[in-house]
């Protein structure tokens, strides 16, 4: 079934702009260079469950082309761009999608106990340059590995969300799936159940937020930064 999911699963439902305000959408970022690898398999399980709740989904992959790391030039801030000053990779393309989503899920394979470097570079630049677009939007991460290192990678992926006022969506276990060969993660029964539970929890939270409206969002104090070196 998962072998055919790329063709049969509709990730993006085309909507009229008049209907978009009544529709919810979750963006899922595939941090693996393998388009149909085990990270994609786990994200598919989440996406299918979200679609059953009437929530639109889109899976976007980091691909195999280079993704720049942040060089701390601060041009996105000083020029108030709302996007990274470098426009030669997928960062700004994904940043443009953030206005139209209600939730975000980032999945990654585990490399040396860490997420893929490309997805880390993407998230760091994306959140620094366009972080205002993700404030208050529920988020979750998924780590996929052959054997070990998943919990460390999972924690690393979660850290940026906690700095962006993004509620973390949980599951019945850490959002981890296991597999080596392409699509093998589908055999991880508990892992796939964890993905479905994550999607159910995401749908529940999004519906609660959607019903309450923007007026229910918490007030934020102005940021009061402090540096330890005076």
């Amino acid at each position: 079934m998962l072998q055919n999911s790329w063709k049969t699963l509709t990730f993006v439902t085309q909507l009229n702009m008049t209907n978009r305000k009544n529709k919810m959408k979750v963006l899922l970022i595939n941090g693996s260079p393998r388009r149909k690898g085990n990270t994609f398999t786990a994200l598919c399980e989440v996406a299918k469950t979200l679609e059953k709740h009437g929530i639109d989904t889109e899976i976007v992959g980091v691909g195999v082309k280079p993704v720049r790391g942040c060089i701390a030039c601060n041009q996105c801030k000083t020029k108030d761009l709302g996007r990274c000053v470098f426009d030669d990779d997928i960062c700004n393309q994904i940043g443009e999608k953030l206005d139209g989503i209600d939730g975000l899920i980032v999945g990654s394979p585990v490399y040396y106990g860490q997420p893929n470097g490309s997805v880390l570079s993407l998230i760091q630049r994306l959140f620094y340059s366009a972080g205002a677009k993700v404030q208050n939007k529920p988020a979750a991460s998924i780590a996929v590995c052959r054997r070990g290192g998943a919990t460390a990678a999972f924690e690393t992926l979660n850290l940026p969300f906690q700095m962006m006022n993004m509620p973390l969506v949980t599951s019945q276990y850490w959002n981890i799936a296991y597999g080596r060969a392409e699509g093998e993660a589908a055999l991880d029964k508990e892992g796939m159940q964890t993905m479905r539970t994550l999607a159910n929890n995401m749908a529940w939270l999004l519906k609660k937020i959607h019903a309450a409206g923007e007026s229910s969002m918490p007030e934020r104090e102005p940021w009061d930064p402090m540096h330890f070196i005076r």
Side-chain angles (χ1 to χ4, degrees):
M1 180 176 66
L2 281 169
Q3 293 178 348
N4 297 323
S5 62
W6 182 264
K7 295 181 180 179
T8 59
L9 180 60
T10 302
F11 297 118
V12 187
T13 302
Q14 297 299 322
L15 296 170
N16 294 327
M17 290 304 294
T18 54
N19 293 331
R20 176 66 188 92
K21 64 181 181 179
N22 297 317
K23 214 46 177 163
M24 290 176 285
K25 180 177 179 179
V26 173
L27 178 66
L28 301 96
I29 297 177
N30 179 6
S32 172
R34 297 181 178 176
R35 190 168 71 108
K36 297 184 183 181
N38 286 311
T39 303
F40 175 76
T41 298
L43 291 172
C44 277
E45 198 70 15
V46 177
K48 286 187 291 185
T49 305
L50 286 170
E51 295 277 356
K52 290 179 181 178
H53 286 279
I55 296 172
D56 290 342
T57 63
E58 180 180 1
I59 297 179
V60 178
V62 296
V64 296
K65 295 182 179 180
V67 180
R68 283 178 176 268
C70 181
I71 64 168
C73 68
N74 216 37
Q75 292 297 297
C76 59
K77 299 296 185 185
T78 57
K79 295 182 179 180
D80 196 24
L81 297 177
R83 57 191 284 119
C84 182
V85 70
F86 295 109
D87 204 17
D88 54 358
D89 59 24
I90 62 169
C91 181
N92 288 330
Q93 297 174 33
I94 294 179
E96 291 173 357
K97 298 177 181 292
L98 299 181
D99 282 321
I101 66 168
D102 301 279
L104 178 68
I105 297 175
V106 179
S108 175
V110 175
Y111 294 167
Y112 295 97
Q114 305 166 81
N116 178 13
S118 292
V119 77
L120 286 178
S121 294
L122 170 67
I123 294 300
Q124 288 167 7
R125 285 170 55 218
L126 193 65
F127 281 11
Y128 192 67
S129 62
K133 297 181 178 182
V134 297
Q135 294 284 325
N136 299 317
K137 295 181 178 180
S141 63
I142 294 170
V144 179
C145 73
R146 178 191 69 85
R147 185 173 177 84
T151 52
F154 176 66
E155 290 174 353
T156 299
L157 287 169
N158 280 335
L159 289 174
F161 302 146
Q162 297 175 67
M163 293 182 67
M164 304 306 293
N165 293 304
M166 302 177 77
L168 286 180
V169 181
T170 59
S171 187
Q172 63 187 20
Y173 196 77
W174 299 308
N175 304 326
I176 294 169
Y178 292 88
R180 181 175 182 272
E182 185 175 291
E184 198 171 56
L187 302 177
D188 178 6
K189 293 193 300 181
E190 184 176 349
M192 293 300 100
Q193 185 181 62
T194 299
M195 299 302 119
R196 293 191 296 273
T197 303
L198 165 63
N200 288 330
N201 289 344
M202 173 70 83
W204 174 81
L205 182 56
L206 287 177
K207 289 176 181 178
K208 293 291 185 182
I209 293 173
H210 195 68
E214 292 185 5
S215 61
S216 66
M217 295 298 176
E219 294 184 9
R220 307 288 184 201
E221 291 185 17
W223 186 41
D224 188 16
M226 175 181 171
H227 304 290
F228 292 101
I229 304 300
R230 298 293 182 182

